[in-house]
Amino acid sequence: MPKLWTDTVATHREEVRQAVLDAAGELVARDGLWAVSMSRLAEAAGIGRATLYKYFADVEEVLTAWHARQVSAHLTDLATMAAGAGDASARLRAVVERYAHICAQRSRHGGDVAAALHRGPGIADQHRQLQDLLTDLIQEAASAGTVRADVPAEQLAGFCLAALTAAGTASGPDVVVELVWTALTADPASAADSA
Amino acid sequence: MPKLWTDTVATHREEVRQAVLDAAGELVARDGLWAVSMSRLAEAAGIGRATLYKYFADVEEVLTAWHARQVSAHLTDLATMAAGAGDASARLRAVVERYAHICAQRSRHGGDVAAALHRGPGIADQHRQLQDLLTDLIQEAASAGTVRADVPAEQLAGFCLAALTAAGTASGPDVVVELVWTALTADPASAADSA
C-alpha cells in the first residue's frame, strides 16, 4: 500500500530534522558548542541555509533540540542498564560509571553552555527521572546488602548525582567513580569509627 | 586631629553601602532573592530611593555586591578554620562541615539565582582559592595518615566541592558530610575489596 502524501512529508521533515541534529553533534564534538553557526549547520547537514531556517529559528533552538535528544538517549541507555540482568550491585556500578563518563563528556563540550542548556524546559523532569532510576537501583542493592542501608536510598541517589558531576573536573571519571563507590558501599559502623 | 573632609565623605559612603548590603541580606533571608526590590532595599536601609540609586544602578548590582561580600566572608571563615590549631584531620572535618552548611543555606536562597550570581566575575577566582585551601588541608591530613593518600589531594578537593553541593538538596548537610568523609578516609585496600 502506498504511503499517504502527508506521511511522506512528515517522514521527510523528520529525517531533515534529525540530520540537522546529527550535524550539530558532529560540530560540537569537533569544534565545541561556541563554534556552531547556522551556516556551518546547513553545510554539515547538506541543506541550504534557507531550508535550515524553515526548521529552526536560530542556533540556540538547534542546540536545545540536540541537547534534549542527547539527554533522552542517555536516559534510555541508563534505564536499560538499570533494568538489565545481573545483581543490583553490578547494575548500579555500571550506571554510576556510565553517568560519570557522560558528565566528563559534557564538560569537554564547554561547561558554561552545558549549564545554559541544562536550564531548558524538560530538563528538571529528566533530572527527576534519573534521580528516580538511581533511587530504585540503590534501594534494590541496599536490600541485597551490597550498598549501605543507613542512609535513605533517595539521599544516596542525590549524593551520587552531585558527586559524579566532579567527573567533569580534572579528576576524571574513574577516580570519582571509586570515591562515590567507597561512600556508597562503606560499612556504616566502620565509617563511624573513622570519623 | 580632625578627619579630612574627603575621608569623612568616603567613610560615610562606605557605611551607607554596607547598610544597603546588610538590608539586602536581611531581605533575602526573610523573603528570598526574588522579593528584593529597590524600594524595599531603600526602606530597609533607612534611606530614600533617590539616594539608593546614587549607590547602585539596579537590584542585580546590589545582589551581586552582596553575594561577593558573602562569598568573601565565607572564604575568610574557612581560611581561618583551615589555619587554626588542632590536627589537620579535625580542621579538614570542620571546613567540610562548614562548607556543607554554606551550600545548604545557599540553596534555601533559591538555587537558580545563586547559580546566576555564581557566574559573576571574580567567582571563578574565589572558587580556585577554595579549591587550593582544601587541597592544602587534605595534603596535610594525608601526610598525617588520616586521609587516603592513593588519590591526589587536588582530585579529592575537587570531589569534595562537587559532592558537598548535594548538601543543598533534600539530603541536608549532615548526611552529605558523612558520605564525603567516608570517601575521604576510606582505607583504599578495603575499598578495593568491596568493589
Side-chain angles (χ1 to χ4, degrees):
Chain A
M1 200 165 86
K3 265 187 176 174
L4 288 175
W5 173 241
T6 49
D7 280 357
T8 312
V9 169
T11 304
H12 174 71
R13 280 194 65 85
E14 187 53 28
E15 282 168 0
V16 173
R17 205 183 133 82
Q18 296 300 328
V20 171
L21 301 189
D22 291 344
E26 284 161 26
L27 289 175
V28 166
R30 202 186 61 195
D31 304 320
L33 273 168
W34 297 115
V36 179
S37 69
M38 292 299 263
S39 306
R40 289 185 192 170
L41 278 169
E43 195 191 334
I47 58 176
R49 278 185 80 229
T51 306
L52 177 56
Y53 278 104
K54 285 182 192 154
Y55 288 80
F56 296 97
D58 50 32
V59 168
E60 193 184 346
E61 203 177 302
V62 178
L63 289 177
T64 302
W66 167 74
H67 182 255
R69 195 181 73 170
Q70 288 285 101
V71 174
S72 176
H74 290 152
L75 260 179
T76 305
D77 268 4
L78 293 168
T80 306
M81 296 173 93
D87 72 284
S89 175
R91 280 179 281 131
L92 175 59
R93 173 85 188 194
V95 165
V96 164
E97 284 179 6
R98 175 69 67 96
Y99 187 68
H101 281 90
I102 291 170
C103 290
Q105 188 181 37
R106 186 169 64 200
S107 91
R108 277 200 301 277
H109 290 163
D112 281 358
V113 187
L117 293 174
H118 263 274
R119 282 195 302 280
I123 292 296
D125 188 47
Q126 289 173 319
H127 191 266
R128 187 72 239 166
Q129 287 178 50
L130 183 55
Q131 164 92 29
D132 289 348
L133 179 159
L134 208 53
T135 300
D136 290 349
L137 202 47
I138 287 174
Q139 186 70 65
E140 201 182 333
S143 300
T146 43
V147 161
R148 64 195 300 159
D150 62 323
V151 175
E154 189 174 0
Q155 299 192 2
L156 286 178
F159 168 80
C160 279
L161 292 181
L164 288 170
T165 62
T169 68
S171 313
D174 300 337
V175 168
V176 174
V177 166
E178 284 314 320
L179 292 169
V180 168
W181 197 250
T182 303
L184 284 184
T185 56
D187 176 2
S190 69
D193 287 347
S194 74
Chain B
M1 203 164 84
K3 264 187 178 173
L4 288 175
W5 173 241
T6 49
D7 280 359
T8 311
V9 170
T11 304
H12 174 71
R13 280 192 65 85
E14 186 54 27
E15 282 168 0
V16 172
R17 204 182 133 81
Q18 295 300 328
V20 172
L21 300 189
D22 291 344
E26 285 161 25
L27 289 175
V28 167
R30 203 186 63 196
D31 305 320
L33 273 168
W34 296 115
V36 179
S37 69
M38 291 299 262
S39 306
R40 288 184 192 171
L41 279 168
E43 196 190 334
I47 58 176
R49 277 184 81 229
T51 306
L52 177 56
Y53 277 106
K54 286 182 190 154
Y55 288 80
F56 297 97
D58 52 31
V59 169
E60 192 184 348
E61 202 177 305
V62 179
L63 289 177
T64 302
W66 166 75
H67 181 256
R69 194 179 74 169
Q70 289 283 102
V71 174
S72 176
H74 289 152
L75 260 180
T76 305
D77 268 4
L78 293 169
T80 306
M81 296 173 93
D87 71 286
S89 175
R91 281 179 281 133
L92 175 60
R93 174 84 188 196
V95 165
V96 163
E97 285 179 5
R98 176 67 68 90
Y99 187 68
H101 281 90
I102 292 170
C103 289
Q105 188 180 37
R106 187 169 62 201
S107 92
R108 279 200 302 277
H109 289 163
D112 281 357
V113 188
L117 293 174
H118 264 275
R119 280 196 303 280
I123 292 296
D125 188 47
Q126 289 173 319
H127 192 266
R128 187 72 238 167
Q129 286 178 50
L130 183 55
Q131 164 92 30
D132 289 347
L133 181 158
L134 208 54
T135 300
D136 290 348
L137 203 47
I138 287 173
Q139 186 69 65
E140 201 183 331
S143 299
T146 43
V147 161
R148 65 197 298 161
D150 62 324
V151 175
E154 189 172 1
Q155 299 192 3
L156 286 177
F159 168 79
C160 279
L161 292 181
L164 288 170
T165 61
T169 68
S171 313
D174 299 337
V175 168
V176 173
V177 166
E178 285 314 321
L179 292 169
V180 167
W181 197 250
T182 304
L184 284 185
T185 57
D187 176 2
S190 69
D193 286 348
S194 74

PDB file of all heavy atoms in Angstrom, chain B residues 22-39:
ATOM      1  N   ASP B  22      23.666  45.041  53.988  1.00  0.00           N
ATOM      2  CA  ASP B  22      23.049  44.405  55.167  1.00  0.00           C
ATOM      3  C   ASP B  22      21.545  44.231  54.934  1.00  0.00           C
ATOM      4  O   ASP B  22      20.973  43.166  55.212  1.00  0.00           O
ATOM      5  CB  ASP B  22      23.254  45.265  56.430  1.00  0.00           C
ATOM      6  CG  ASP B  22      24.715  45.296  56.881  1.00  0.00           C
ATOM      7  OD1 ASP B  22      25.502  44.430  56.422  1.00  0.00           O
ATOM      8  OD2 ASP B  22      25.070  46.197  57.661  1.00  0.00           O
ATOM      9  N   ALA B  23      20.921  45.291  54.410  1.00  0.00           N
ATOM     10  CA  ALA B  23      19.479  45.243  54.141  1.00  0.00           C
ATOM     11  C   ALA B  23      19.167  44.156  53.122  1.00  0.00           C
ATOM     12  O   ALA B  23      18.186  43.412  53.258  1.00  0.00           O
ATOM     13  CB  ALA B  23      18.991  46.601  53.636  1.00  0.00           C
ATOM     14  N   ALA B  24      20.024  44.042  52.093  1.00  0.00           N
ATOM     15  CA  ALA B  24      19.825  43.003  51.078  1.00  0.00           C
ATOM     16  C   ALA B  24      19.865  41.621  51.732  1.00  0.00           C
ATOM     17  O   ALA B  24      19.014  40.768  51.460  1.00  0.00           O
ATOM     18  CB  ALA B  24      20.893  43.118  49.989  1.00  0.00           C
ATOM     19  N   GLY B  25      20.852  41.415  52.614  1.00  0.00           N
ATOM     20  CA  GLY B  25      20.975  40.128  53.307  1.00  0.00           C
ATOM     21  C   GLY B  25      19.744  39.804  54.131  1.00  0.00           C
ATOM     22  O   GLY B  25      19.255  38.664  54.121  1.00  0.00           O
ATOM     23  N   GLU B  26      19.209  40.831  54.827  1.00  0.00           N
ATOM     24  CA  GLU B  26      18.011  40.607  55.645  1.00  0.00           C
ATOM     25  C   GLU B  26      16.805  40.265  54.782  1.00  0.00           C
ATOM     26  O   GLU B  26      16.037  39.359  55.093  1.00  0.00           O
ATOM     27  CB  GLU B  26      17.707  41.862  56.492  1.00  0.00           C
ATOM     28  CG  GLU B  26      18.657  42.025  57.673  1.00  0.00           C
ATOM     29  CD  GLU B  26      18.654  43.459  58.210  1.00  0.00           C
ATOM     30  OE1 GLU B  26      17.637  44.160  58.016  1.00  0.00           O
ATOM     31  OE2 GLU B  26      19.679  43.864  58.797  1.00  0.00           O
ATOM     32  N   LEU B  27      16.636  40.996  53.671  1.00  0.00           N
ATOM     33  CA  LEU B  27      15.501  40.739  52.780  1.00  0.00           C
ATOM     34  C   LEU B  27      15.605  39.356  52.154  1.00  0.00           C
ATOM     35  O   LEU B  27      14.608  38.631  52.053  1.00  0.00           O
ATOM     36  CB  LEU B  27      15.431  41.816  51.685  1.00  0.00           C
ATOM     37  CG  LEU B  27      15.007  43.219  52.141  1.00  0.00           C
ATOM     38  CD1 LEU B  27      15.099  44.200  50.980  1.00  0.00           C
ATOM     39  CD2 LEU B  27      13.570  43.192  52.688  1.00  0.00           C
ATOM     40  N   VAL B  28      16.802  38.985  51.729  1.00  0.00           N
ATOM     41  CA  VAL B  28      16.996  37.668  51.113  1.00  0.00           C
ATOM     42  C   VAL B  28      16.668  36.566  52.114  1.00  0.00           C
ATOM     43  O   VAL B  28      15.960  35.606  51.799  1.00  0.00           O
ATOM     44  CB  VAL B  28      18.448  37.511  50.605  1.00  0.00           C
ATOM     45  CG1 VAL B  28      18.748  36.051  50.270  1.00  0.00           C
ATOM     46  CG2 VAL B  28      18.678  38.385  49.374  1.00  0.00           C
ATOM     47  N   ALA B  29      17.173  36.733  53.342  1.00  0.00           N
ATOM     48  CA  ALA B  29      16.947  35.708  54.371  1.00  0.00           C
ATOM     49  C   ALA B  29      15.459  35.597  54.712  1.00  0.00           C
ATOM     50  O   ALA B  29      14.943  34.505  54.964  1.00  0.00           O
ATOM     51  CB  ALA B  29      17.756  36.034  55.622  1.00  0.00           C
ATOM     52  N   ARG B  30      14.765  36.723  54.687  1.00  0.00           N
ATOM     53  CA  ARG B  30      13.367  36.729  55.101  1.00  0.00           C
ATOM     54  C   ARG B  30      12.428  36.318  53.974  1.00  0.00           C
ATOM     55  O   ARG B  30      11.531  35.495  54.157  1.00  0.00           O
ATOM     56  CB  ARG B  30      12.971  38.130  55.606  1.00  0.00           C
ATOM     57  CG  ARG B  30      11.766  38.133  56.542  1.00  0.00           C
ATOM     58  CD  ARG B  30      11.356  39.554  56.880  1.00  0.00           C
ATOM     59  NE  ARG B  30      10.935  40.296  55.710  1.00  0.00           N
ATOM     60  CZ  ARG B  30      10.819  41.623  55.655  1.00  0.00           C
ATOM     61  NH1 ARG B  30      11.139  42.353  56.711  1.00  0.00           N
ATOM     62  NH2 ARG B  30      10.403  42.214  54.547  1.00  0.00           N
ATOM     63  N   ASP B  31      12.624  36.896  52.764  1.00  0.00           N
ATOM     64  CA  ASP B  31      11.642  36.697  51.694  1.00  0.00           C
ATOM     65  C   ASP B  31      12.190  36.035  50.437  1.00  0.00           C
ATOM     66  O   ASP B  31      11.460  35.821  49.482  1.00  0.00           O
ATOM     67  CB  ASP B  31      11.030  38.054  51.299  1.00  0.00           C
ATOM     68  CG  ASP B  31      10.424  38.775  52.496  1.00  0.00           C
ATOM     69  OD1 ASP B  31       9.801  38.095  53.325  1.00  0.00           O
ATOM     70  OD2 ASP B  31      10.594  40.006  52.598  1.00  0.00           O
ATOM     71  N   GLY B  32      13.496  35.754  50.420  1.00  0.00           N
ATOM     72  CA  GLY B  32      14.081  35.140  49.229  1.00  0.00           C
ATOM     73  C   GLY B  32      14.584  36.194  48.254  1.00  0.00           C
ATOM     74  O   GLY B  32      14.169  37.361  48.305  1.00  0.00           O
ATOM     75  N   LEU B  33      15.464  35.759  47.361  1.00  0.00           N
ATOM     76  CA  LEU B  33      16.121  36.686  46.441  1.00  0.00           C
ATOM     77  C   LEU B  33      15.148  37.432  45.542  1.00  0.00           C
ATOM     78  O   LEU B  33      15.322  38.606  45.244  1.00  0.00           O
ATOM     79  CB  LEU B  33      17.123  35.935  45.559  1.00  0.00           C
ATOM     80  CG  LEU B  33      18.541  35.742  46.117  1.00  0.00           C
ATOM     81  CD1 LEU B  33      19.303  34.747  45.265  1.00  0.00           C
ATOM     82  CD2 LEU B  33      19.281  37.072  46.145  1.00  0.00           C
ATOM     83  N   TRP B  34      14.106  36.708  45.074  1.00  0.00           N
ATOM     84  CA  TRP B  34      13.202  37.315  44.097  1.00  0.00           C
ATOM     85  C   TRP B  34      12.385  38.468  44.676  1.00  0.00           C
ATOM     86  O   TRP B  34      11.836  39.271  43.940  1.00  0.00           O
ATOM     87  CB  TRP B  34      12.251  36.267  43.507  1.00  0.00           C
ATOM     88  CG  TRP B  34      12.968  35.231  42.729  1.00  0.00           C
ATOM     89  CD1 TRP B  34      13.055  33.902  43.013  1.00  0.00           C
ATOM     90  CD2 TRP B  34      13.730  35.428  41.532  1.00  0.00           C
ATOM     91  NE1 TRP B  34      13.813  33.259  42.075  1.00  0.00           N
ATOM     92  CE2 TRP B  34      14.244  34.166  41.159  1.00  0.00           C
ATOM     93  CE3 TRP B  34      14.024  36.548  40.742  1.00  0.00           C
ATOM     94  CZ2 TRP B  34      15.038  33.990  40.028  1.00  0.00           C
ATOM     95  CZ3 TRP B  34      14.810  36.363  39.621  1.00  0.00           C
ATOM     96  CH2 TRP B  34      15.303  35.108  39.277  1.00  0.00           C
ATOM     97  N   ALA B  35      12.297  38.515  46.012  1.00  0.00           N
ATOM     98  CA  ALA B  35      11.453  39.539  46.642  1.00  0.00           C
ATOM     99  C   ALA B  35      12.190  40.867  46.811  1.00  0.00           C
ATOM    100  O   ALA B  35      11.583  41.866  47.206  1.00  0.00           O
ATOM    101  CB  ALA B  35      10.964  39.031  48.000  1.00  0.00           C
ATOM    102  N   VAL B  36      13.483  40.891  46.510  1.00  0.00           N
ATOM    103  CA  VAL B  36      14.261  42.116  46.721  1.00  0.00           C
ATOM    104  C   VAL B  36      13.956  43.134  45.615  1.00  0.00           C
ATOM    105  O   VAL B  36      14.004  42.799  44.431  1.00  0.00           O
ATOM    106  CB  VAL B  36      15.773  41.801  46.743  1.00  0.00           C
ATOM    107  CG1 VAL B  36      16.573  43.078  46.933  1.00  0.00           C
ATOM    108  CG2 VAL B  36      16.093  40.789  47.834  1.00  0.00           C
ATOM    109  N   SER B  37      13.575  44.362  46.015  1.00  0.00           N
ATOM    110  CA  SER B  37      13.356  45.437  45.044  1.00  0.00           C
ATOM    111  C   SER B  37      14.071  46.683  45.555  1.00  0.00           C
ATOM    112  O   SER B  37      14.429  46.758  46.734  1.00  0.00           O
ATOM    113  CB  SER B  37      11.864  45.724  44.893  1.00  0.00           C
ATOM    114  OG  SER B  37      11.374  46.310  46.092  1.00  0.00           O
ATOM    115  N   MET B  38      14.260  47.664  44.685  1.00  0.00           N
ATOM    116  CA  MET B  38      14.948  48.890  45.088  1.00  0.00           C
ATOM    117  C   MET B  38      14.155  49.618  46.178  1.00  0.00           C
ATOM    118  O   MET B  38      14.740  50.153  47.119  1.00  0.00           O
ATOM    119  CB  MET B  38      15.171  49.791  43.868  1.00  0.00           C
ATOM    120  CG  MET B  38      16.177  49.235  42.868  1.00  0.00           C
ATOM    121  SD  MET B  38      17.854  48.983  43.546  1.00  0.00           S
ATOM    122  CE  MET B  38      18.698  50.483  42.998  1.00  0.00           C
ATOM    123  N   SER B  39      12.824  49.622  46.080  1.00  0.00           N
ATOM    124  CA  SER B  39      12.010  50.292  47.103  1.00  0.00           C
ATOM    125  C   SER B  39      12.201  49.640  48.468  1.00  0.00           C
ATOM    126  O   SER B  39      12.403  50.316  49.478  1.00  0.00           O
ATOM    127  CB  SER B  39      10.525  50.215  46.734  1.00  0.00           C
ATOM    128  OG  SER B  39      10.314  50.707  45.442  1.00  0.00           O
TER     129      SER B  39
END
